[in-house]
Amino acid sequence: MNSRFKKFKALILFIAVLGVSGCASYSLNQGLDRVNRDASSFTQNELNLAKNKEDRDKRLAATTELLFKPVGQKEAVQLLLANSPAFQALLAQNWAEAASAAQSGRISNPTFAFESAVMGTETELNRFLTFGLLDLITLPQRSAIAKDRVEQAQIRMTAEVVDQVTQVRKSWVRAVAAAQSYKYADQVLASAEASAELARRMESVGNFNKLNRARHQAFYADAATQLATAKQLALLRKEELIRLLGLDEDQAKQLVLPERLPNLPKQPMTPENVSKQLSQERLDIQQAKAVLNAAAKAQGLNRVTSLTDIELSVKRSTVANHSSSRGYEVGVKLPIFDWGDMQRDVMNAQTLAAANLLEATIRSAGSSLRENYAAYRTAYDISVHYKDEVIPLRKVISEENVLRYNGMLIGVFELLADSRDQIGAVISAIEAEQQFWLADAALQATLIGRPTSIGVAAISNTTSNTAAGH
């Protein structure tokens, strides 16, 4: 009996040591290294989580340095990574999720129970050490499932980082474009104000009728409304960017954006360039594969654990002034009321759903890329059209009208109206550039595997309809 018990105890110790060595694990550095490896070309910077005052001081110093000069799109992304508390919370939350996933692959701690029983003059002492035997047996499968869940958490963190960076890039574009449009809206108001004042004076001396004066005054009123709207939009877009970057009140006052959007690239990306930059293993496909792997492994494990459970107890009893006894007991949960069929149905359904999700993701990947590339090229072509055709034509018209005005062929009102039309064309060109840079940000996110739908809206027509005749 003693020999058999020793062998059994040695077997338990061997299983326990084997289980501990195969447990899933996770560290924050492991997760950050994974993100930096997969998304460094996208973020153009490394991620770090500030865990102490020294780290926070480094972040503050980096933020101060970035705010010392106008913040471009690349610097805005750096501010997000270095300064945003919401972004730091995202990293910490993912750390917790990944650690929790790794924990699910660990062995449950054994239970120790002590019993003291008095029978007459004798005292019996019993000690129990209880293991979940099925827990030990299924440890390799559970550890593999936990590793897949950790993989899911790491891919999810990379995807969320890409989403955050894309939001900042788009917000920066909108903020700069709104401020640029506001500046030109102010010029439109100045021209409309001059036109309205001149019309008022000419009416007062009898050289202008009431109808024409009212038309110029109405245009001035509309221009004042448009300027107020443009001012509010510029403030709104800048505050949206400030919130994404996590700037405090003092930092927000230091934030200065460039006066205009960047120049368009000399050549747009070609389909061949897109194919070269396309991630070999897109994040959305990686994530769908990880979900399927975890579901398939969990389904296999569930076939056993849903039916029963087994507990093993090692027992040692001692009676005062007598010899002690040792032994073990095995407890099996009997599947009488619940055969685990519903649990197996859940796992089967989850595996089937994960397989179909992977197939749907693969099928939609090409479509989303084609859609976003088409939007990118359309936005580029429209913006180039404004730059190469519309703006130069407006400039020629303006120069010709100045000559006609100098030759007394047109009046000052026609000259002012043409000036407003030229400014309106510039505002439309800014809107076209904004759409291109938004489409560019969406395409970059799609290439790495985070499709972001972006359409190409119609460019507003801002030409003047003010009557020029008098």
Side-chain angles (χ1 to χ4, degrees):
M1 176 68 181
N2 277 345
S3 174
R4 214 167 34 192
F5 184 78
K6 288 179 180 178
K7 288 179 181 179
F8 186 78
K9 185 165 68 173
L11 177 63
I12 293 298
L13 291 174
F14 173 75
I15 293 175
V17 171
L18 182 65
V20 170
S21 64
C23 285
S25 62
Y26 178 80
S27 68
L28 175 63
N29 290 336
Q30 173 188 343
L32 293 178
D33 288 345
R34 171 67 181 272
V35 178
N36 289 328
R37 185 190 72 207
D38 291 349
S40 60
S41 61
F42 185 83
T43 62
Q44 297 183 340
N45 210 331
E46 288 193 353
L47 278 65
N48 290 289
L49 177 62
K51 294 183 288 186
N52 51 49
K53 187 178 183 303
E54 182 181 357
D55 292 341
R56 288 190 290 272
D57 289 342
K58 288 181 180 178
R59 286 177 50 211
L60 181 60
T63 300
T64 302
E65 183 178 353
L66 288 168
L67 290 173
F68 187 72
K69 55 185 179 180
V71 176
Q73 191 179 58
K74 181 180 179 181
E75 290 75 21
V77 173
Q78 292 175 351
L79 276 173
L80 168 73
L81 303 184
N83 182 73
S84 172
F87 188 79
Q88 291 287 303
L90 171 67
L91 299 183
Q93 180 62 33
N94 187 269
W95 181 16
E97 291 177 3
S100 178
Q103 177 64 35
S104 66
R106 297 288 180 91
I107 300 177
S108 300
N109 289 324
T111 301
F112 175 77
F114 178 81
E115 179 185 75
S116 175
V118 178
M119 296 178 292
T121 59
E122 294 184 341
T123 300
E124 181 177 0
L125 304 177
N126 297 314
R127 279 86 72 189
F128 300 88
L129 189 62
T130 304
F131 298 86
L133 189 57
L134 199 59
D135 194 35
L136 286 173
I137 294 172
T138 61
L139 178 63
Q141 293 95 327
R142 290 189 299 103
S143 180
I145 293 171
K147 289 177 181 177
D148 283 334
R149 288 175 177 168
V150 169
E151 175 77 1
Q152 288 182 55
Q154 290 181 318
I155 296 171
R156 187 162 50 249
M157 178 165 68
T158 305
E160 289 173 349
V161 167
V162 170
D163 288 344
Q164 289 282 322
V165 170
T166 302
Q167 286 184 37
V168 166
R169 286 177 175 169
K170 290 182 175 181
S171 181
W172 181 89
V173 169
R174 292 190 178 103
V176 174
Q180 200 174 347
S181 297
Y182 169 60
K183 180 179 69 175
Y184 284 103
D186 189 42
Q187 293 182 24
V188 171
L189 178 65
S191 175
E193 184 178 17
S195 179
E197 177 62 21
L198 181 59
R200 185 189 66 79
R201 293 181 180 180
M202 292 185 69
E203 183 195 23
S204 66
V205 297
N207 292 333
F208 220 53
N209 62 46
K210 187 174 183 180
L211 177 60
N212 283 333
R213 195 274 303 168
R215 285 173 177 167
H216 288 280
Q217 189 67 34
F219 185 83
Y220 168 62
D222 289 341
T225 302
Q226 291 171 7
L227 178 65
T229 303
K231 180 180 180 181
Q232 177 58 30
L233 182 61
L235 175 64
L236 172 67
R237 295 306 189 194
K238 188 173 182 179
E239 290 297 335
E240 286 177 350
L241 179 61
I242 286 170
R243 287 194 295 272
L244 284 173
L245 300 181
L247 304 180
D248 60 29
E249 189 171 347
D250 292 334
Q251 291 171 336
K253 293 177 182 178
Q254 298 175 40
L255 177 63
V256 176
L257 298 176
E259 294 185 355
R260 59 186 305 275
L261 291 170
N263 294 327
L264 295 177
K266 293 182 179 180
Q267 295 293 332
M269 292 176 61
T270 64
E272 293 75 18
N273 297 142
V274 170
S275 298
K276 290 179 182 178
Q277 293 188 32
L278 184 62
S279 174
Q280 295 299 317
E281 192 65 39
R282 293 168 49 119
L283 290 175
D284 49 0
I285 296 178
Q286 282 188 56
Q287 195 164 16
K289 284 182 177 179
V291 171
L292 177 58
N293 290 337
K297 291 174 182 177
Q299 182 182 17
L301 178 63
N302 186 259
R303 290 173 183 170
V304 178
T305 59
S306 64
L307 185 65
T308 186
D309 193 10
I310 304 173
E311 286 189 350
L312 171 67
S313 296
V314 179
K315 177 181 179 182
R316 181 181 178 88
S317 299
T318 304
V319 180
N321 300 324
H322 293 77
S323 62
S324 61
S325 63
R326 290 171 293 185
Y328 62 88
E329 63 181 32
V330 178
V332 179
K333 185 183 293 185
L334 300 178
I336 297 176
F337 303 110
D338 181 7
W339 286 81
D341 53 325
M342 290 296 99
Q343 294 182 47
R344 290 188 291 277
D345 284 348
V346 169
M347 298 305 298
N348 291 338
Q350 289 178 344
T351 303
L352 184 61
N356 281 283
L357 178 62
L358 174 58
E359 181 66 22
T361 302
I362 293 173
R363 291 186 182 187
S364 66
S367 175
S368 62
L369 182 59
R370 290 191 297 271
E371 176 190 352
N372 280 277
Y373 180 71
Y376 167 87
R377 278 306 306 262
T378 301
Y380 181 85
D381 292 341
I382 291 174
S383 188
V384 168
H385 175 71
Y386 269 93
K387 177 185 175 183
D388 295 345
E389 298 290 338
V390 177
I391 299 301
L393 284 173
R394 282 292 175 189
K395 184 178 180 181
V396 169
I397 292 172
S398 178
E399 291 172 349
E400 289 299 315
N401 277 330
V402 170
L403 293 175
R404 294 177 68 201
Y405 174 75
N406 291 335
M408 302 184 68
L409 298 177
I410 62 173
V412 67
F413 291 103
E414 289 88 349
L415 192 63
L416 289 171
D418 176 70
S419 175
R420 292 194 294 269
D421 289 344
Q422 187 177 14
I423 294 172
V426 173
I427 293 175
S428 296
I430 293 170
E431 188 176 341
E433 286 185 358
Q434 172 184 266
Q435 290 197 12
F436 167 75
W437 288 112
L438 291 176
D440 178 75
L443 179 60
Q444 295 300 327
T446 302
L447 287 172
I448 200 172
R450 292 299 288 176
T452 303
S453 181
I454 182 78
V456 179
I459 305 298
S460 59
N461 187 352
T462 55
T463 57
S464 170
N465 292 319
T466 305
H470 58 278

